[in-house]
């Protein structure tokens, strides 16, 4: 039997609990949709993921892109599946009708993304990176840029990337050295290099547009001097496309996501690379954070999806693999039992299920907060949702990546000696998962962001919102007779408040270094407390449905 990736029952439960489609359909922006349309979209995407995309996973992992003659050639199956992913909304599903999108709620689009990512992260990566890059141009570019670049990207004719990292700077974007010299009319001569650019070169689309951070000559040092540019591999000149002096200098060989090439790019080796300014000079990093925050949610979703694919592999294996006999049942002649009957195997499977479905709820809640922050009629509700989303973004990225890796390791453990062989896909899923703790800011960076910025933002208002939400969930659980679960969540909430207060006091006293030494532990504490909140909500919803 093929890997289901996610069961239909789980997808339906999450649809009702976290997406809450009937509420969304009351908002004018989604008024042209119907519940049946959302359901049909999810069914179509899931069927494509299971029947078409998932069979390509092993092929792309075994046959990574080739680097020949200065160009990257991806697996032929990418050529086959990319147009269908575009058609299904993987690039522009959330974007408005007027720019060529499907105008789906982000929560619906995110739920639909889980089966796609579980089926083949590498192939899906091209689509989501393109969508994020095009959205930057939609949000901050002028009409000419939207017409030249954005529309072709949303339509699937061109792809896009985010080009931030440089070899000498890593995550320290203030230290980037890529330069931009004004040429007039919004055009700049770009010169420099970028590295670890996912999807930075391939052979299945006509063109690739790199959303690139660079410093305009004469701009101040540091982050304030960074601007954002659209730098195509081929630049439009009249009716033609000409090479824009953007060279692929290296392909990075990765442990996972092998079907999505990660490359080093060189701009302007012959002083003939042109970039178009997106928005205003000096605002590049603030613009790019739109894509980066979206990408962090994407990485969280991918962490959940990768853990889920491995969970279903290990669940099927545990039901089929016969080995050993339960304690107390060792009569002569009795044959071995399926290993799922052994308590420790059930422990590992339940641990995986808790991580996968808890992480899934977290990512969907973040997506639902994004919908509320952007489209709710009540301004106070928009502000409350935006603040809570800001606080939860590093958590939403980190929990699925870090605990997802634990879940993937458990899948390997359940397979025993077969787990670390390529005969079964769980070893590949574990390799894939490891990238999620590094992509879009390492877990350490997420901890610094959470404790150093998000916890103290707006005088701690967003943290207070989180505490209020946890308190409300505990109260509802208690109302359904879930006393033990409610008490456990309240205990986690109290520990979170006490720890936040103690660390905040150190910061207020000027002991910032002493405060920030605990950033990783603080992130882990918040992750556990938040996912406990997610499970409490789901427990109460289940009791309500049963009643």
């Amino acid at each position: 039997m093929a890997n289901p990736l996610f069961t239909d029952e789980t997808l339906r439960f999450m649809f009702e609990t976290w997406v809450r489609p009937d509420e969304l359909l009351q908002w004018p922006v989604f008024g042209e949709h119907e519940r049946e349309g959302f359901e049909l979209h999810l069914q179509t995407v899931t069927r494509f993921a299971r029947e078409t995309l998932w069979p390509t996973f092993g092929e792309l992992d075994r046959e990574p892109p080739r680097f020949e003659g200065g160009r990257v050639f991806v697996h032929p199956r990418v050529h086959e599946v990319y147009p269908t992913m575009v058609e299904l909304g993987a690039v522009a599903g959330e974007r408005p009708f007027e720019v060529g999108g499907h105008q789906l709620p982000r929560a619906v689009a995110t739920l639909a993304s889980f089966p796609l990512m579980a089926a083949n992260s590498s192939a899906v990566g091209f689509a989501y990176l393109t969508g994020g890059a095009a959205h930057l141009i939609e949000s901050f570019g002028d009409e000419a840029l939207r017409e030249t670049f954005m529309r072709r990207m949303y339509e699937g004719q061109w792809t896009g990337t985010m080009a931030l990292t440089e070899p000498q700077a890593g995550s320290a974007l203030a230290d980037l050295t890529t330069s931009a010299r004004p040429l007039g009319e919004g055009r700049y001569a770009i010169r420099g290099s970028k590295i670890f650019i996912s999807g930075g070169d391939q052979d299945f689309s006509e063109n690739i547009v790199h959303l690139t951070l660079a410093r305009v000559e004469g701009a101040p040092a540091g982050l304030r001097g960074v601007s954002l540019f659209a730098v195509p591999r081929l630049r439009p000149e009249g009716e033609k496309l000409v090479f824009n002096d953007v060279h692929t200098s290296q392909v990075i060989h990765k442990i996972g996501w092998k079907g999505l090439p990660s490359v080093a790019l060189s701009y302007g080796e012959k002083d003939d690379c042109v970039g178009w300014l997106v928005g205003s000079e000096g605002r590049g990093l603030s613009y790019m954070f739109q894509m980066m925050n979206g990408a962090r949610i994407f990485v969280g979703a991918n962490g959940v999806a990768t853990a889920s694919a491995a969970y279903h592999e290990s669940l099927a294996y545990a039901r089929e693999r016969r080995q050993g006999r339960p304690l107390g049942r060792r009569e002569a002649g009795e044959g071995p039992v399926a290993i799922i009957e052994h308590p420790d195997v059930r422990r590992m499977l339940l641990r995986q299920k808790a991580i996968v479905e808890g992480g899934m709820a977290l990512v969907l809640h973040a997506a639902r907060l994004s919908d509320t922050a952007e489209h709710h009629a009540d301004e106070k509700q928009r502000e409350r949702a935006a603040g809570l989303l800001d606080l939860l973004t590093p958590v939403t990225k980190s929990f699925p990546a870090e605990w997802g890796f634990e879940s993937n390791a458990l899948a390997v453990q359940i397979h025993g000696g077969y787990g670390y062989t390529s005969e079964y896909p769980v070893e590949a899923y574990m390799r894939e998962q490891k990238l999620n703790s590094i992509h879009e800011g390492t877990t350490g960076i997420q901890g610094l962001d959470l404790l150093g910025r998000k916890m103290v933002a707006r005088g701690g208002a967003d943290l207070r919102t989180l505490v209020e939400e946890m308190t409300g969930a505990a109260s509802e659980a208690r109302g359904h007779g879930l006393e033990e679960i409610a008490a456990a969540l309240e205990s986690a909430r109290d520990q979170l408040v006490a720890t936040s207060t103690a660390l905040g006091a150190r910061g207020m006293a000027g002991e910032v270094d002493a405060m920030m030494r605990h950033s990783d532990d603080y992130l882990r504490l918040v992750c556990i407390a938040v996912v406990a909140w997610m499970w409490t909500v789901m427990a109460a919803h289940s009791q309500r449905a049963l009643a």
Side-chain angles (χ1 to χ4, degrees), residues 438-511:
I438 298 171
H439 280 159
E440 305 311 324
T442 63
T443 304
I445 288 174
Q446 304 304 320
L448 293 172
D449 181 41
L450 177 65
L451 181 58
R453 296 191 186 97
K454 305 300 174 62
M455 188 267 282
V456 298
R458 302 196 304 156
D462 302 328
L463 181 62
R464 288 193 293 275
T465 298
L466 173 60
V467 171
E468 290 169 6
E469 292 286 329
M470 295 173 73
T471 300
S475 178
E476 183 177 4
R478 188 169 277 113
H480 288 288
L482 302 171
E483 179 65 38
E484 186 176 352
I485 292 175
L489 178 61
E490 289 168 340
S491 175
R493 175 204 61 193
D494 293 344
Q495 291 181 55
L496 172 59
V497 170
T499 305
S500 301
T501 301
L503 292 175
R506 288 191 175 187
M508 292 288 289
E511 301 175 18

Side-chain angles (χ1 to χ4, degrees), residues 228-246:
L228 179 64
F229 300 88
V231 186
R233 180 182 175 274
L234 304 176
R235 68 173 180 262
E237 289 191 359
E239 298 297 318
K240 298 188 301 182
L241 292 174
V242 301
F243 183 60
N244 195 34
D245 201 11
V246 179

Side-chain angles (χ1 to χ4, degrees), residues 393-473:
T393 293
V395 179
T396 307
K397 191 270 184 186
S398 300
F399 176 84
E402 290 292 349
W403 276 264
F405 187 78
E406 177 191 342
S407 181
N408 281 90
L410 289 171
V412 171
Q413 190 76 11
I414 288 169
H415 279 73
Y418 293 105
Y420 48 72
T421 72
S422 59
E423 181 179 351
Y424 291 85
V426 288
E427 63 86 23
Y429 287 129
M430 190 167 72
R431 290 189 280 105
E432 297 262 307
Q433 186 69 273
K434 186 56 203 159
L435 277 69
N436 289 315
S437 64
I438 298 171
H439 280 159
E440 305 311 324
T442 63
T443 304
I445 288 174
Q446 304 304 320
L448 293 172
D449 181 41
L450 177 65
L451 181 58
R453 296 191 186 97
K454 305 300 174 62
M455 188 267 282
V456 298
R458 302 196 304 156
D462 302 328
L463 181 62
R464 288 193 293 275
T465 298
L466 173 60
V467 171
E468 290 169 6
E469 292 286 329
M470 295 173 73
T471 300

Side-chain angles (χ1 to χ4, degrees), residues 81-354:
V81 299
Y82 189 77
T84 305
M85 290 191 292
V86 174
E87 182 182 340
L88 291 173
V91 174
E94 305 165 23
R95 307 315 313 141
F97 294 129
E98 57 264 28
V99 300
H102 298 186
Q103 203 158 312
L104 291 171
R106 183 155 297 164
V108 173
T110 300
L111 183 59
S113 77
F114 285 124
L116 293 174
M117 294 179 186
N120 194 327
S121 299
S122 294
V124 174
F126 290 107
Y128 285 107
L129 285 167
T130 298
H135 187 198
L136 280 177
I137 298 173
E138 178 192 339
S139 299
F140 307 114
D142 58 27
E143 187 55 38
L145 287 185
R146 294 190 196 104
E147 191 62 34
T148 301
F149 298 114
M150 178 199 74
R151 290 194 179 276
R152 290 181 173 91
M153 295 162 76
Y154 281 155
E155 290 169 0
Q157 186 178 355
W158 295 358
T159 60
T161 76
M162 53 191 301
L164 290 72
T165 307
E166 298 181 4
Q168 82 291 342
S171 298
L173 298 178
D175 298 327
L176 64 83
T177 59
T178 298
S179 65
R181 175 169 49 83
L183 299 173
E185 300 181 343
R187 292 157 53 99
Y188 291 72
I190 308 297
R191 189 174 183 84
S193 61
K194 299 289 181 179
I195 198 168
F196 304 123
I197 309 305
S198 296
D201 194 8
Q202 39 77 11
D203 63 322
F204 66 84
S205 72
E206 181 183 48
N207 201 2
I208 309 167
V209 183
H210 305 289
L211 273 292
T212 301
L213 292 180
R215 195 182 309 279
V216 176
E217 292 181 354
L223 297 176
R224 290 182 303 163
V226 176
S227 299
L228 179 64
F229 300 88
V231 186
R233 180 182 175 274
L234 304 176
R235 68 173 180 262
E237 289 191 359
E239 298 297 318
K240 298 188 301 182
L241 292 174
V242 301
F243 183 60
N244 195 34
D245 201 11
V246 179
H247 300 266
T248 301
S249 57
Q250 179 188 1
V251 172
I252 288 88
H253 302 285
K254 303 175 293 183
I255 63 171
W257 291 42
K258 291 189 175 183
L260 179 67
S262 180
V263 307
L265 297 174
S266 176
Y267 299 82
E269 291 181 5
K270 298 181 179 179
D271 201 26
D272 190 31
C273 179
V274 177
W276 281 257
L277 180 68
V278 178
S280 304
E281 288 187 10
R283 300 287 305 281
L285 197 62
S286 64
Y287 297 154
M288 187 63 87
F289 263 109
Q290 173 184 278
M291 186 173 181
M292 291 167 66
N293 284 331
R296 286 171 178 172
I297 302 299
F298 164 83
V299 170
N302 190 271
V304 169
T306 304
S308 180
Y311 164 61
H312 286 289
E313 287 286 350
S314 60
L315 179 61
Y317 182 83
R319 287 170 171 165
E320 296 166 1
R321 171 68 170 170
R322 305 186 73 81
Q323 179 178 317
R325 294 154 182 80
L327 294 174
R329 286 174 50 193
R330 298 180 179 273
E331 293 85 355
E334 185 171 350
V337 298
I339 64 172
I340 198 171
E341 294 194 33
H342 299 307
D344 193 56
V345 173
R346 292 201 299 275
R347 173 191 66 82
M348 291 187 283
L349 288 169
L350 286 169
R351 179 77 173 175
Q352 288 183 79
K353 181 180 174 66

